[in-house]
Every structure is written in structure tokens, then in C-alpha cells.
């Protein structure tokens, strides 16, 4: 019984579909750009010459998050606080895409961090070799309960 799953994985790992020729009329038509150029445009970078910037600097980004975040009542009742890490892609046009929780604290805090990050104004796009590019980015959002108010730090 132990060898059966291993044999099945081996077959799947080494199985290759046969090449099927595509009729000329069904091949994709690209105007002015090669297939390689199309794929390069979709690439997302981790490190670039110029990382994305928030208009007014990252201190301004923190202010906007603090002004717009609403500490969820269930997280307050449960005395939940901590650091939520939100990963996203800052696209070539500066917009936020594919925001996801990388490290969460509590479901309500995670949802609130995502909500605020997804509604941030456009950033100044990252650049590589003088061109705007898509860049992976991680933004920490810290939730901290205070005795007098429910703000983030």
C-alpha cells in the first residue's frame, strides 16, 4: 500500500502532454509586441531601483490609515491587538492590487486592515530601468488598544 501513492506521483511527475500543433488561424495575433514582451510586462518585481512611494511619504500613508481605520467592536471586546502584515502588488499605474493577509492577528482586524489598504490612494509606481513596473509590497498595520480611545499606532 505504501508504494502505490509513490508510483502514482512518479507517473504524474514525469508525464508530458504531447505537443499538438496549433493551426495558423488559431495562433494569437499580437500587434506590435512579441509574446516575450507581453510576459515581461506582467512580471512583478520584489526589488527595484526605485521602490513605490506614497504621495506625501509613508508618514502620510500612516495618517490616512489612522484616519480611516475602525477598530472592530468584537476585537475590542476580546482585547485583541497586534501587527497585521498585508502584502499587495503596487501596479505600474500606482494602484493597489491582490491585497492579501500575510500574517494575521484576528479575523476582524485582518478584514479591517485589508479594507483600508485596498482603498488607499494611488502610489507613485516603482521603477526599474526607468520604466514603471509592478512591485510586491508588504505594509504593516498595527492595531493597539488604548484605554481612552480605539486607535491604531
Amino acid at each position: 500500500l505504501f508504494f502505490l501513492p509513490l508510483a502514482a506521483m512518479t507517473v504524474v511527475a514525469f508525464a508530458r502532454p504531447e505537443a499538438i500543433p496549433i493551426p495558423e488561424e488559431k495562433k494569437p495575433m499580437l500587434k506590435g509586441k512579441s509574446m516575450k514582451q507581453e510576459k515581461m510586462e506582467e512580471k512583478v518585481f520584489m526589488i527595484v531601483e526605485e521602490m513605490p512611494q506614497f504621495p506625501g511619504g509613508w508618514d502620510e500613508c500612516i495618517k490616512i490609515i489612522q484616519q480611516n481605520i475602525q477598530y472592530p467592536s468584537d476585537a475590542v471586546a476580546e482585547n485583541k491587538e497586534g501587527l497585521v502584515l498585508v502584502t499587495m502588488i503596487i501596479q505600474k499605474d500606482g494602484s493597489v492590487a491582490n491585497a492579501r493577509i500575510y500574517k494575521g492577528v484576528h479575523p476582524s482586524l485582518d478584514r479591517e486592515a485589508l479594507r483600508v489598504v485596498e482603498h488607499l490612494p494611488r502610489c507613485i509606481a516603482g521603477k526599474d530601468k526607468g520604466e514603471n513596473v509592478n512591485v510586491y509590497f508588504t505594509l504593516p498595520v498595527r492595531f493597539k488598544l488604548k484605554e481612552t480611545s480605539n486607535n491604531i499606532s
Side-chain angles (χ1 to χ4, degrees):
L1 257 116
F2 175 76
F3 295 107
L4 185 57
L6 183 59
M9 288 191 313
T10 305
V11 171
V12 173
F14 294 105
R16 291 188 317 181
E18 294 299 320
I20 301 172
I22 300 172
E24 202 61 43
E25 65 273 4
K26 301 238 179 185
K27 287 186 180 178
M29 298 291 289
L30 298 174
K31 295 180 181 177
K33 294 183 181 180
S34 70
M35 189 75 80
K36 187 175 181 180
Q37 287 172 322
E38 288 289 325
K39 287 183 181 180
M40 288 297 288
E41 287 181 359
E42 296 171 8
K43 187 172 183 179
V44 181
F45 292 82
M46 294 183 86
I47 300 172
V48 291
E49 293 169 355
E50 294 178 44
M51 289 300 285
Q53 292 294 316
F54 195 80
W58 290 107
D59 289 339
E60 185 64 25
C61 179
I62 291 168
K63 285 180 191 174
I64 290 174
I65 291 173
Q66 287 175 331
Q67 291 168 356
N68 291 296
I69 209 143
Q70 298 171 359
Y71 216 114
S73 58
D74 63 331
V76 172
E78 295 175 30
N79 206 28
K80 296 291 183 182
E81 56 185 28
L83 185 69
V84 177
L85 296 178
V86 181
T87 61
M88 67 196 96
I89 296 173
I90 305 291
Q91 295 186 309
K92 291 187 254 186
D93 64 358
S95 63
V96 172
N98 296 16
R100 295 196 183 352
I101 299 299
Y102 179 74
K103 178 188 170 262
V105 174
H106 181 272
S108 295
L109 297 179
D110 299 348
R111 277 192 304 274
E112 183 61 12
L114 267 179
R115 183 190 69 80
V116 172
V117 167
E118 288 174 342
H119 290 93
L120 286 173
R122 287 185 190 266
C123 294
I124 300 165
K127 291 188 179 205
D128 198 63
K129 298 178 185 169
E131 300 273 332
N132 286 3
V133 294
N134 300 325
V135 181
Y136 284 112
F137 199 82
T138 301
L139 185 66
V141 179
R142 182 175 302 279
F143 287 85
K144 177 80 173 144
L145 289 170
K146 294 182 181 178
E147 290 184 29
T148 57
S149 65
N150 297 329
N151 295 327
I152 64 161
S153 61

